[in-house]
Amino acid sequence: MTIQETDFAFVRDLVSSRSGIVLEAGKEYLVEARLAPVARDAGLAGIPQLVTQLRSQPSGALTTRVVEAMTTNETSFFRDAHPFESLRTHIIPTLLERNRASRAITIWSAACSTGQEPYTIAMTLKEHFPVLDGWKVRIVCTDLAQHVLDRARQGRYRQLEVNRGLPAAYLTRYFVRQGLDWEVIPALKEWTEFRTLNLIGDWGPMPRFDVVFLRNVLIYFDVETKKKIFARVRQQMSRDGWLFLGSAETTLNIDESFRRVSADRGHAYQNAA
Ligand SMILES: C[S@@+](CC[C@H](N)C(=O)[O-])C[C@H]1O[C@@H](n2cnc3c(N)ncnc32)[C@H](O)[C@@H]1O
């Protein structure tokens, strides 16, 4: 099956306007691979019929399913290691001092996918900073896609998923067996809160964050969209807060109000103002 040019253009515009995700020419194969199962599940003969349906009901549930299907949810525990090292060696020790009056630390895992990133943050804090049990720790976990957020909230992972990046000692300390799966312990879950949030939409009320993880999502957006998101993220960060991006992402030449700071082996971004 080869997707028709007009159908591809329709899906590309729909996905871009709803999520910011850019589908360049050449991504036809991806659209076909991701949308064929959506069409099948909806009882439709194929992508042409799916597009007809989307055109007639652009605000329907099928549009949401299509946009979600076009997100890439790849993630793993301790992905890229260095942001979590920075939390341990530099950021949390600094915040323990800086926030000692409020005894509160607020972290945002934006585009958290199935939750490996926020639970890695929670494990890092629990493992190295027992004093935080007497603090208010909030890890706000958001994503556009409801299906990944449901999994993140549940905190239940397959053996293959825990095999990716999770040290064996952490598995025994922070997970319990649930049949063939592993579930995150309540002591980690109680620091987390999950909500749907579209980075290009209305964010609703949000707290100020000491640390923001915005990793491996901006790669899907164009420069204008990145600019807008950086400006909004900056406003949401506490003074001297830290922003972590994915290894292929940067604020350089996009938002000069951020400066790159070294944070252990890797780097983070802080408000330059
Ligand atoms: C590759 S995952 C990154 C997960 C995690 N941050 C990491 O680095 O491992 C990208 C996530 O971004 C989410 N996403 C894509 N567009 C989004 C948008 N407009 N608003 C919020 N999340 C979005 C996807 O649903 C997906 O779960």
Side-chain angles (χ1 to χ4, degrees):
M1 175 188 51
T2 310
I3 189 168
Q4 288 184 3
E5 217 177 299
T6 49
D7 287 350
F8 176 73
F10 177 81
V11 172
R12 182 196 60 208
D13 294 349
L14 182 78
V15 170
S16 151
S17 67
R18 303 287 171 128
S19 70
I21 296 170
V22 176
L23 295 166
E24 303 108 346
K27 288 282 166 82
E28 289 83 354
Y29 74 93
L30 189 70
V31 172
E32 282 175 9
R34 298 274 183 86
L35 297 194
V38 177
R40 207 170 37 243
D41 290 351
L44 298 164
I47 292 177
Q49 292 75 10
L50 178 68
V51 170
T52 305
Q53 187 91 7
L54 293 169
R55 282 184 196 277
S56 69
Q57 280 190 316
S59 302
L62 204 52
T63 294
T64 307
R65 285 220 286 285
V66 163
V67 173
E68 289 206 9
M70 291 315 305
T71 62
T72 297
N73 312 116
E74 167 70 18
T75 188
S76 57
F77 291 103
F78 289 94
R79 184 176 189 177
D80 299 333
H82 81 81
F84 312 104
E85 275 296 293
S86 307
L87 277 185
R88 181 176 70 80
T89 59
H90 177 58
I91 295 175
I92 300 298
T94 306
L95 288 173
L96 285 175
E97 189 52 31
R98 190 188 288 168
N99 295 1
R100 65 182 184 282
S102 64
R103 294 168 74 81
I105 290 181
T106 312
I107 300 176
W108 182 15
S109 172
C112 67
S113 186
T114 40
Q116 284 87 336
E117 179 177 272
Y119 290 127
T120 300
I121 298 168
M123 284 186 280
T124 303
L125 269 52
K126 209 38 122 190
E127 182 74 14
H128 300 288
F129 303 96
V131 65
L132 287 176
D133 284 336
W135 282 47
K136 181 163 177 49
V137 175
R138 280 181 83 183
I139 306 175
V140 178
C141 315
T142 65
D143 200 284
L144 165 85
Q146 195 57 51
H147 70 285
V148 289
L149 216 46
D150 289 344
R151 283 210 56 212
R153 189 178 288 112
Q154 200 183 16
R156 200 167 161 157
Y157 299 95
R158 292 184 288 274
Q159 187 70 47
L160 258 173
E161 292 172 311
V162 297
N163 286 351
R164 290 189 62 202
L166 188 68
Y170 281 53
L171 181 62
T172 49
R173 272 204 283 286
Y174 300 114
F175 290 78
V176 285
R177 263 269 186 218
Q178 293 287 2
L180 292 176
D181 298 338
W182 294 90
E183 187 168 340
V184 172
I185 58 168
L188 293 189
K189 282 189 186 175
E190 68 190 21
W191 280 347
T192 57
E193 50 192 73
F194 297 88
R195 60 173 105 148
T196 314
L197 183 143
N198 186 344
L199 287 164
I200 68 160
D202 179 4
W203 292 3
M206 292 278 270
R208 284 214 174 268
F209 295 103
D210 297 301
V211 191
V212 176
F213 284 73
L214 179 66
R215 302 195 310 147
N216 303 302
V217 60
L218 297 180
I219 34 169
Y220 302 107
F221 300 160
D222 62 24
V223 171
E224 278 315 305
T225 307
K226 289 182 207 187
K227 271 192 180 147
K228 286 185 194 143
I229 294 173
F230 280 142
R232 291 171 77 188
V233 166
R234 209 154 10 81
Q235 286 181 351
Q236 220 49 61
M237 289 169 62
S238 61
R239 203 167 163 261
D240 295 327
W242 293 265
L243 167 68
F244 283 106
L245 300 177
S247 54
E249 296 161 333
T250 179
T251 62
L252 300 180
N253 300 322
I254 302 175
D255 186 326
E256 300 311 329
S257 300
F258 274 111
R259 70 192 158 97
R260 198 168 121 136
V261 293
S262 96
D264 204 45
R265 279 181 296 130
H267 53 264
Y269 298 86
Q270 287 188 313
N271 196 342

